[in-house]
Amino acid sequence: AQSVTQLDSQVPVFEEAPVELRCNYSSSVSVYLFWYVQYPNQGLQLLLKYLSGSTLVKGINGFEAEFNKSQTSFHLRKPSVHISDTAEYFCAVSILSGGGADGLTFGKGTHLIIQP
Amino acid sequence: SAVISQKPSRDICQRGTSLTIQCQVDSQVTMMFWYRQQPGQSLTLIATANQGSEATYESGFVIDKFPISRPNLTFSTLTVSNMSPEDSSIYLCSVGGGAEQFFGPGTRLTVL
């Protein structure tokens, strides 16, 4: 079975500062990797995903993530955050299977708090 | 991408009762998934629903408590049976699987 660890439950950052949200995963098979964002009282929105190819993935709202296979990590970064980035961020994995019929395993989430 | 709607968007129910949540997709999909997000927690997969077959439940979830129907390729229901306050959560429908996963807006359930 696969698992996802988000080490930081909460990350406070000043506005316009850079941020990195950490995600590590464990799986005995190859995986797809995702970052989702959940704004207060809203649904889940896909930020970006890694399927294959270039290990640096760019997503929406200026976010990017880098897949590191040797460290089994998929950290999310943004060079300059805005107040509107305040939200809960979830890292998730799905295993690579021929049937393509697998759900997601989520990390516990990181609450990003932007301070003015 | 797929557009997913859920009904109801929220409900307040009494313990011991049951609630059926509907999930409608704007296109035909093979796999549908149901997740639970307890207050302040992450999302946990409840079950996978494939049209024409029994749903597959994750560890800790049973059909008697969370019966699922999947009558066609665009629709599914999840019933939360014999509810207790511990069932208060957001229940989300998702479609896709593997590399593509889209989520509905969720149903916020409060059990008193």
Side-chain angles (χ1 to χ4, degrees), chain A residues 6 32 34 36 38 41-44 46 49 51 88 90 94-95 99-109, chain B residues 10 31 33 35 37 40-45 48 90 92 94 96-106 108:
Chain A
Q6 292 182 248
Y32 297 126
F34 305 80
Y36 286 87
Q38 187 175 40
N41 297 313
Q42 294 190 29
L44 278 176
L46 179 66
K49 60 185 178 183
L51 306 181
E88 193 78 19
F90 294 100
S94 175
I95 67 170
D102 299 283
L104 292 168
T105 299
F106 283 85
K108 292 186 179 298
Chain B
R10 59 177 61 223
M31 307 304 299
F33 305 87
Y35 291 83
Q37 185 177 23
Q41 302 296 315
S42 185
L43 286 83
T44 302
L45 181 63
T48 302
I90 299 173
L92 297 104
S94 170
E100 296 287 348
Q101 306 259 359
F102 304 101
F103 284 84
R108 185 179 295 270

Side-chain angles (χ1 to χ4, degrees), chain B residues 40-101:
Chain B
Q41 302 296 315
S42 185
L43 286 83
T44 302
L45 181 63
I46 298 172
T48 302
N50 191 6
Q51 194 267 336
S53 63
E54 295 274 337
T56 303
Y57 289 82
E58 298 297 309
S59 176
F61 297 96
V62 295
I63 188 171
D64 290 347
K65 176 68 175 176
F66 298 101
I68 289 171
S69 78
R70 183 78 201 275
N72 58 52
L73 291 172
T74 63
F75 187 78
S76 178
T77 67
L78 169 76
T79 298
V80 186
S81 304
N82 188 24
M83 288 184 286
S84 68
E86 291 71 36
D87 294 319
S88 297
S89 298
I90 299 173
Y91 292 86
L92 297 104
C93 170
S94 170
V95 304
E100 296 287 348
Q101 306 259 359

Side-chain angles (χ1 to χ4, degrees), chain A residues 58-75:
Chain A
K58 293 191 182 298
I60 62 171
N61 301 340
F63 284 94
E64 64 181 31
E66 186 155 20
F67 170 58
N68 188 318
K69 188 174 182 179
S70 62
Q71 297 185 4
T72 61
S73 68
F74 190 54
H75 300 333

Side-chain angles (χ1 to χ4, degrees), chain A residues 15-59:
Chain A
E15 194 172 14
E16 298 184 9
V19 68
E20 178 179 82
L21 306 183
R22 296 181 291 170
C23 172
N24 288 88
Y25 69 94
S26 173
S27 176
S28 58
V29 298
S30 295
V31 297
Y32 297 126
L33 294 152
F34 305 80
W35 274 100
Y36 286 87
V37 60
Q38 187 175 40
Y39 297 104
N41 297 313
Q42 294 190 29
L44 278 176
Q45 183 177 0
L46 179 66
L47 270 178
L48 48 79
K49 60 185 178 183
Y50 174 78
L51 306 181
S52 64
S54 173
T55 57
L56 182 62
V57 180
K58 293 191 182 298

